[in-house]
Amino acid sequence: MIIQEYEKIDTSAQLSRIRLQNTTEHQRRLNEIYDKIPEIKNLDNQVSSIALEEVKKRLRQDKANYSGNYESSILEISNKKAELLESNGYPKDYLDPIYNCPICQDWGEHNGKICECVKKIRIKELYNRSNLSNILSKENFDSYTLDYYSNEAYEDNKLTPYENAEKQYNVAQNFVKNFDTKHDNLLIYGGTGLGKTFLSNCIAKELLDSGHSVLYLSSNELFRDILVNYTTFNDLYDQKVLEEIYEYIFSSDLLIIDDLGSEVISAFVVSHLFEIINRRMLLDHSTLITTNFDLDTIQDRYSDRVSSRIAEKYILCPLYGDDIRYRRKK
């Protein structure tokens, strides 16, 4: 279950490994450059000598010898190093400290608050623990194909299943492309086996790869495993863990609710679904919902308030036709 998996996530250990990897790589670069460009090692030794002398002056409180020479000398040496690196085919910042997150420098906190990079580590780990990372390596835009959709007329629809699927594929691509500026929401709906989850996984992978926080939850996980346990203060689970997951439901860049309607529908579900949709809209955070239900059915089962929010603020992406999973097997 997702809560139990979440409890195993140790971001401190992961950050420690990241710092060690970056420190090791930084030292490797130093050794490489010192070997190829000995002048830079001499310049670094000069910096160390100048810094040590400055410390001695300050310890002696030798104010008479304070001057701007220290800063200007260090700047001059830094410029020389940058010139030497570039003239030897290296980027001028090649010897700068290496950080995955320049905001917190891979310590996980900034200005007394948990850094955003910690949230991203946790959410990516959730994907790994639920085997979604393996799924995303198979279900992505590179592997997406329209070949299984029929190009023959289907019922009273103007577009064939193939043409419609192509249209929704383009909607998904534009959703990713404009994600940081438009803050759109998607409702991908249609019968079983039409590629709704596949398309949502394509979107998830693109956004994860570009450094966005994505939280994927099946409808059952969201309402039964998380919200019920959070609101009832279930003693089986660490309340702090539940609070963190609950926070991510609203703060993640993209929340994916997969297979809405598979849960047991109740007043509890309806009220919390509206809260999630409404709060995320107010925060300008995107939500993607996949479901077998069309908008009329959503209105009947989840209330006018829920359906009106979706109709107003969501891009509707219908998929129709025959179950393409049978075509894939053939």
Side-chain angles (χ1 to χ4, degrees):
M1 190 165 67
I2 193 169
I3 298 170
Q4 295 170 332
E5 296 293 345
Y6 194 93
E7 290 178 300
K8 299 176 187 176
I9 297 173
D10 187 348
T11 55
S12 296
Q14 292 193 44
L15 288 169
S16 179
R17 286 194 294 271
I18 289 170
R19 292 195 301 272
L20 177 60
Q21 289 168 359
N22 288 339
T23 300
T24 301
E25 172 59 16
H26 184 248
Q27 186 60 51
R28 186 200 67 76
R29 291 185 182 185
L30 278 173
N31 294 338
E32 173 192 0
I33 295 302
Y34 286 170
D35 182 58
K36 292 184 177 180
I37 317 172
E39 298 96 317
I40 288 183
K41 184 174 183 179
N42 294 332
L43 290 173
D44 280 346
N45 289 336
Q46 289 181 39
V47 169
S48 298
S49 298
I50 293 171
L52 179 60
E53 186 60 33
E54 186 70 11
V55 169
K56 289 179 180 179
K57 288 179 183 179
R58 299 194 179 199
L59 288 174
R60 293 195 305 264
Q61 296 185 340
D62 189 1
K63 297 181 180 179
N65 290 319
Y66 282 4
S67 69
N69 291 339
Y70 171 71
E71 288 80 5
S72 61
S73 297
I74 297 298
L75 179 60
E76 183 180 351
I77 292 173
S78 296
N79 290 335
K80 286 181 181 178
K81 284 176 60 179
E83 290 173 4
L84 281 168
L85 285 169
E86 285 193 309
S87 65
N88 283 272
Y90 291 92
K92 63 171 64 177
D93 61 352
Y94 190 67
L95 293 181
D96 288 354
I98 302 169
Y99 305 117
N100 284 24
C101 178
I103 296 173
C104 70
Q105 298 183 351
D106 300 330
W107 285 97
E109 289 189 7
H110 179 67
N111 291 335
K113 297 181 180 179
I114 295 176
C115 185
E116 186 68 23
C117 69
V118 174
K119 298 178 182 180
K120 292 176 181 178
I121 288 172
R122 284 176 171 155
I123 292 172
K124 287 184 179 180
E125 189 64 17
L126 283 174
Y127 270 83
N128 293 333
R129 299 295 172 89
S130 61
N131 294 322
L132 269 178
S133 59
N134 185 45
I135 293 173
L136 295 183
S137 68
K138 300 174 183 176
E139 298 189 0
N140 51 67
F141 283 128
D142 290 335
S143 63
Y144 189 89
T145 179
L146 297 167
D147 294 344
Y148 302 108
Y149 294 93
S150 171
N151 218 348
E152 297 179 2
Y154 186 82
E155 297 180 351
D156 296 328
N157 297 288
K158 293 182 180 179
L159 300 177
T160 67
Y162 179 98
E163 292 168 337
N164 177 66
E166 183 178 37
K167 177 183 176 181
Q168 307 315 330
Y169 171 85
N170 291 331
V171 169
Q173 288 272 18
N174 288 328
F175 176 80
V176 171
K177 181 180 178 181
N178 301 313
F179 187 80
D180 292 321
T181 56
K182 290 194 173 181
H183 311 292
D184 286 329
N185 305 285
L186 296 181
L187 178 74
I188 305 176
Y189 66 96
T192 302
L194 291 175
K196 300 184 297 294
T197 299
F198 194 116
L199 194 56
S200 71
N201 285 341
C202 292
I203 292 169
K205 185 178 190 307
E206 289 296 309
L207 292 176
L208 281 170
D209 288 349
S210 60
H212 293 88
S213 57
V214 178
L215 182 58
Y216 169 95
L217 295 170
S218 71
S219 188
N220 269 322
E221 286 175 325
L222 173 60
F223 296 111
R224 182 193 64 198
D225 295 344
I226 296 175
L227 292 178
V228 168
N229 287 307
Y230 174 76
T231 55
T232 58
F233 298 94
N234 193 326
D235 292 337
L236 292 174
Y237 306 109
D238 185 338
Q239 194 62 24
K240 184 178 180 181
V241 171
L242 285 167
E243 287 174 357
E244 289 180 346
I245 303 176
Y246 183 78
E247 175 197 339
Y248 290 150
I249 291 171
F250 298 101
S251 65
S252 57
D253 295 330
L254 176 66
L255 171 67
I256 298 177
I257 305 175
D258 190 41
D259 205 12
L260 181 70
S262 61
E263 79 291 341
V264 177
I265 298 175
S266 64
F268 174 89
V269 168
V270 171
S271 64
H272 280 85
L273 177 61
F274 176 79
E275 181 188 10
I276 291 167
I277 290 174
N278 196 52
R279 277 184 59 183
R280 288 186 62 84
M281 281 170 43
L282 294 174
L283 293 168
D284 268 343
H285 291 162
S286 297
T287 305
L288 189 163
I289 299 174
T290 73
T291 180
N292 291 354
F293 298 154
D294 60 17
L295 203 56
D296 288 338
T297 307
I298 289 174
Q299 181 178 10
D300 291 340
R301 300 202 177 198
Y302 295 98
S303 79
D304 292 340
R305 291 202 307 168
V306 170
S307 64
S308 65
R309 285 289 189 275
I310 292 175
E312 177 189 5
K313 293 294 185 179
Y314 279 60
I315 299 172
L316 304 183
C317 303
L319 289 170
Y320 50 78
D322 297 325
D323 190 331
I324 64 173
R325 288 180 299 191
Y326 293 117
R327 292 173 176 263
R328 283 190 179 131
K329 288 180 181 179
K330 293 178 182 180

